[in-house]
Amino acid sequence: MNQSESTRDFYNKYGEKEWERLFRSPQDKLNYILHMDFLDAELGAGITVLDAGCGGGRFSVDFAKRGCHITLLDISDEQIRIAEEKLNEYDLGSYVDKALVGDIGNLDMIEDDTFDVTVCYGAPLSYLYDNYLDGIKELYRVTKPGGQVFISVNNRLGVIRTLIGRNGFDIVDFLARKDYWFVDEVVQTGNLPSHPDVAHPPRHFFEASELMNLFKEIGFKDIKLGSSPCLSAGLSDRVEEIYENKDAWETLVDLEIKSYQKEATLDLGEFLMIKGRK
Ligand SMILES: C[S@@+](CC[C@H](N)C(=O)[O-])C[C@H]1O[C@@H](n2cnc3c(N)ncnc32)[C@H](O)[C@@H]1O
């Protein structure tokens, strides 16, 4: 199977678990809150949004609640089926203009300058592996001049920090067998090739400066980066404790929102976010 086929196959089998991803743990909820905060100002009634790599449609439900008109797109026909089902369950089906099964690396079925806002959240571009530049160019092409593109990808050093703090993960074995786990290769090149003990298809992990340079090269303006989560990346157990106390949780959310776009934290979140204007 090639990269696109492996990704389709993986997410077709992953099914409903993708819809649940952002609500499994308090740290997932933080990811959801920060991703929404990053684009919130651009949403509104009548705004056209492409949700590229929409998965089960978790973000599109919120876009629709804000009155946006959505085009769903995913390489997995099963994820598109789930996303349409969820929007209908929330009685928001009328906000879906189109639901497309397609590859972000080639969006020929969409004309230039179509959307006010283009969103590619939850690391779809990481799954393009060595084809991510074509993907970013396509997201830029289908966005209207003056419109914005919002992306989140897997964070290169952030993934290691996340693994260090992951409950139940054997971090000692992981670090002691760094060649087996391709640790140096990922840190140097960003590429994690196919691996017998990694369920996901090959992925590219990004650094903040790398993504910033790609956005500049393509011609984006007003570029801003973020990391998610930020202060509490890799500290999932502590975040669970904090979540038990409403006031403490509200303070953490407030601190995360105040800090997630600060330069010092960008390379350490689980996700790296970037936005830019065409
Ligand atoms: C982790 S999920 C994120 C879903 C959703 N955007 C979110 O943040 O909740 C990644 C999604 O990207 C999709 N995807 C991966 N590679 C893709 C590609 N080349 N073109 C379109 N979709 C892709 C997968 O099928 C999957 O549904």
Side-chain angles (χ1 to χ4, degrees):
M1 279 196 271
N2 65 28
Q3 180 69 18
S4 303
E5 290 163 347
S6 309
T7 305
R8 180 180 304 114
D9 186 57
F10 177 83
Y11 275 101
N12 277 348
K13 289 180 181 145
Y14 205 63
E16 190 93 14
K17 277 190 277 180
E18 178 43 41
W19 164 260
E20 289 153 15
R21 180 180 67 91
L22 286 160
F23 286 79
R24 270 196 292 253
S25 71
Q27 205 159 38
D28 295 327
K29 288 197 176 88
L30 269 183
N31 274 329
Y32 176 75
I33 290 166
L34 295 178
H35 278 67
M36 281 304 291
D37 184 79
F38 200 51
L39 53 60
D40 190 64
E42 296 302 307
L43 302 178
I47 297 289
T48 54
V49 179
L50 171 65
D51 190 355
C54 61
R58 189 60 90 167
F59 285 108
S60 269
V61 165
D62 277 287
F63 303 158
K65 281 182 185 164
R66 297 284 293 275
C68 300
H69 291 274
I70 303 146
T71 295
L72 301 166
L73 181 134
D74 203 284
I75 202 162
S76 155
D77 42 294
E78 177 62 5
Q79 292 301 327
I80 287 289
R81 188 195 65 72
I82 294 169
E84 286 192 281
E85 187 179 272
K86 294 295 177 194
L87 278 135
N88 286 328
E89 266 175 37
Y90 282 82
D91 211 13
L92 295 165
S94 59
Y95 290 93
V96 178
D97 286 344
K98 282 185 188 163
L100 304 170
V101 177
D103 189 331
I104 293 164
N106 179 357
L107 297 176
D108 274 357
M109 73 294 250
I110 302 174
E111 285 180 18
D112 296 358
D113 308 336
T114 299
F115 300 102
D116 296 312
V117 170
T118 298
V119 181
C120 185
Y121 268 179
L125 281 174
S126 289
Y127 291 95
L128 268 76
Y129 199 47
D130 43 15
N131 199 28
Y132 51 81
L133 182 58
D134 285 352
I136 305 174
K137 284 182 180 164
E138 282 294 77
L139 298 174
Y140 182 87
R141 181 183 67 74
V142 301
T143 305
K144 287 180 187 168
Q148 283 217 67
V149 176
F150 298 84
I151 289 173
S152 82
V153 291
N154 291 133
N155 196 331
R156 195 179 299 187
L157 293 176
V159 70
I160 296 187
R161 188 179 166 98
T162 302
L163 291 177
I164 291 172
R166 180 167 292 166
N167 206 352
F169 180 74
D170 190 349
I171 188 65
V172 177
D173 173 78
F174 177 78
L175 294 175
R177 293 197 295 146
K178 68 179 177 111
D179 292 343
Y180 180 74
W181 292 109
F182 302 146
V183 172
D184 289 339
E185 185 168 344
V186 171
V187 170
Q188 274 157 28
T189 69
N191 281 349
L192 173 62
S194 184
H195 190 289
D197 287 326
V198 177
H200 289 258
R203 276 171 294 166
H204 183 77
F205 292 76
F206 290 84
E207 288 187 325
S209 59
E210 174 190 15
L211 206 47
M212 174 60 105
N213 288 338
L214 290 171
F215 260 52
K216 282 185 182 160
E217 198 182 299
I218 289 168
F220 282 101
K221 293 172 245 160
D222 305 331
I223 308 168
K224 297 209 170 60
L225 288 152
S227 77
S228 171
C230 167
L231 288 176
S232 57
L235 301 170
S236 52
D237 279 1
R238 304 296 285 166
V239 175
E240 293 213 3
E241 274 174 52
I242 292 166
Y243 188 67
E244 296 301 312
N245 181 305
K246 188 173 167 290
D247 293 336
W249 171 250
E250 281 174 11
T251 303
L252 178 66
V253 170
D254 183 48
L255 290 171
E256 286 274 351
I257 287 176
K258 284 180 176 140
S259 57
Y260 79 98
Q261 296 185 63
K262 287 194 187 291
E263 203 175 343
T265 63
L266 294 176
D267 280 314
L268 292 177
E270 179 181 359
F271 292 95
L272 177 62
M273 300 190 285
I274 190 161
K275 58 182 167 185
R277 196 171 293 281
K278 179 165 170 182

